Amino acid sequence: MASRSKDYNSAASYFQQLSTFYHNNDWARLEIPMLDMYAQCLKQLDRRLDFCRIGLQILAQTARRPGSLQHVSGVSRHEDSEELGHYLDDVLEASNALQRSISAPLQKQFGRILLHPYIRHFDDRDGFQMTLSLQNLMPVAFTAEEVRVKLVNVDNDQRSDIWLKTGDPDHLGPGTTDVDVQTTAMCSGWFELERIDVKSANVVFTFDTASPSSNALVATSNNDADFNHVQEANAFRVLVWPGESSLDVQLSLCPNIHLGKPRSLEMVIVSRRNEIDRATVALKSCTAGLRIHTADAELNEDNGTFRDKSQPGVLELGSMASDSDVRIRIPYGLESDLNDIKVRAEVRYSVGGREYTYTRNGEMRIQLPLNVNVQDCYQEDALVSHFQIGTASSIPARISYYRLPSTKSFHVAMSELEGDPVDVFARQPLSLLANIRRKMYGARSSQSPKTTDRTLMLQIRYACLDQEVMVAVEDVLSKALHASIFGTYRRLLLAAFARSLRSKLSMQDFETIALLREVQIEPYEYYDWDSILDGLDSESKAELTSWLQTWHKEHSSISLPEDINPRTTLELTVPVEIPTVPAVFTAWLDIQGYSTGDGEYRSAPADQPLLANLSILWSRYWDIDARHPDDEPLHITCEIDANPDVWLIGGQRKIHFSAKPAEETKIPIILLPQKSGHLFYPSVDIRAARSGKSEGDGKAVDEEVQCEVDYLSQSESILVVPNLSSVTVSLDGGAEVGVVDMRSRDGG
């Protein structure tokens, strides 16, 4: 009555209540007519949003019923399913007047949803495409202006997503339609389906695998097959990898490390087939405490130019020719000590008016592969530095070059590496000796060197064995793939094999490889190839499996080159500062009467006192700062110490005296050996002080002076023998065997 009297407001209210009542009681045959009349009232009232919502509900109710619209009966207006088909056109037309798009669950109007799980690279440009199959359950066709598919990565801590969409509108008729979706974005890894959007006019049919409501709506479907397909899509995985000719981005630590300067990352952008008009690099720290200083970024070579780097974390580059590369050095800082850092790089570039994106997640170990320890031994006119270069981990390293250059203030003499590179192991470091002298004429220079001149630079060129192994194996596998029909999978297979090989090699394996210069390649089954090949179609997987099995049989071992590959060469520069030492003491012990004159001693008898002189002199040769006068004396304390089971020392064990530079002081002592054999000389400890200023009570307090001691007799020894000239031993079988007579050296 209300509808016939054109009281559409009252009629709409009644039809809404009736449709709700029938829906709650599962009376679908009566619910649909009520919704139909309710929608007609809304259309007359020009309530477009409500009309679109109810119209989509009618289409969903009829589409999901068994037999679709063919089984709707009971009211004459609904005996022909085509009479409800007009709702789709009416809803799409009404939605154009809405300010916002209206969303509807995709699975209510569509049945089977299937995304074919294999990507297809473009032959002439970067990116890839996939095929999406949609089963339209509605009775009429419509035009989808855009179909979008969202993929999210599943094997990386940092979330990445890829949107694929259609290039042109698609005609979706009743039944199943295949739609090609494509993208200009690229990255590597496993992805899973998260969202599908089908947009027509201002209506978006959406399927979201992460939404619990979507799963609940699908679960109420009467079509179990459709539900199974959607459940399969929820766990759907897609393997994405860049094509052979598409742009490449590599992230690593800068191969040239200077410990006196900020550390840097190195990013290499390889254009390959792309004629790039411009590129924008966005760098993001994925590690707490990591700060990337893009404003200080530099180009290692002249292959590219910066357009702008003022925005934090963003670098804008100019054009790049095809088959060219750009190397960018980017300093970074750390708020705490870390062993590993993670960085995300996103490169947006333009080729021929089309925009592309490449995303790369890099994890780098920033702990230095080498440890350098130095011990200094000061002499009167030279400094002998002992360097020990070892590995910081259990992975051996190979050193091909080292050098400690002289400066304006210091002359350095160091042995050179001749012949083949030297292998360095965790328990076998490389030892180097350097003799350092000041550049001066005659006496000590009155001008002290600047701080920069006092710092020497130890340069080491080396390669880590794990990198040598990876590069050698990748080169062999890469050449084999280039020569085969599987070149398009090269970047995928190289990255997968490198990860698997690195995880399989133990520290003992690396030591064996370092000694033999050969890598043993296990059979195909030993490596985790299936985890990657599962992302390919069955035909490609079978062919690649057969090819890889043959490759493993033909390459049971791979030899490493004797010379270091330039791609694995690293350089480490270690600043070595020469400290200033106000006083360097030279001391030596001379035993009187037993010296042969050529630095050796005759044997001495046991239990006989030995007269010795301890000589001491000091120099300001290494007082680089020259803060005190040359002739200023020092107050010296000398203490002689020895093991009482070896030596008894007669005389003063602790002596105090004053002396000027180059003034020799001799201290007589008596040594009494306590046993026979080669006995090392007693040790000497020397401390120095200078006269200080008087304090408030008028007493002067000595100021301790830093000093070094060059004890020339540190490793010298003297042979002490028993004081016997002859020993008579009886060997007569009738008598008792033993010592019969002993005579001392003095005739007693």
Side-chain angles (χ1 to χ4, degrees), residues 48 344 379 386 451 635 667 726:
R48 293 186 177 88
R344 176 187 175 91
Q379 298 178 352
H386 178 209
T451 304
H635 304 300
I667 303 172
S726 65

Side-chain angles (χ1 to χ4, degrees), residues 376-389:
D376 294 330
C377 179
Y378 284 87
Q379 298 178 352
E380 182 180 359
D381 58 352
L383 171 62
V384 179
S385 295
H386 178 209
F387 295 92
Q388 277 198 331
I389 305 174

Side-chain angles (χ1 to χ4, degrees), residues 537-583:
D537 60 89
S538 57
E539 182 179 357
S540 299
K541 178 181 178 181
E543 293 176 352
L544 258 180
T545 299
S546 176
W547 185 89
L548 288 171
Q549 289 174 345
T550 303
W551 183 86
H552 277 271
K553 292 179 182 178
E554 296 176 351
H555 298 82
S556 58
S557 63
I558 296 177
S559 299
L560 302 183
E562 290 298 329
D563 296 331
I564 296 179
N565 191 320
R567 292 162 54 193
T568 63
T569 300
L570 304 174
E571 291 187 5
L572 176 64
T573 302
V574 182
V576 181
E577 185 175 355
I578 305 298
T580 178
V581 179

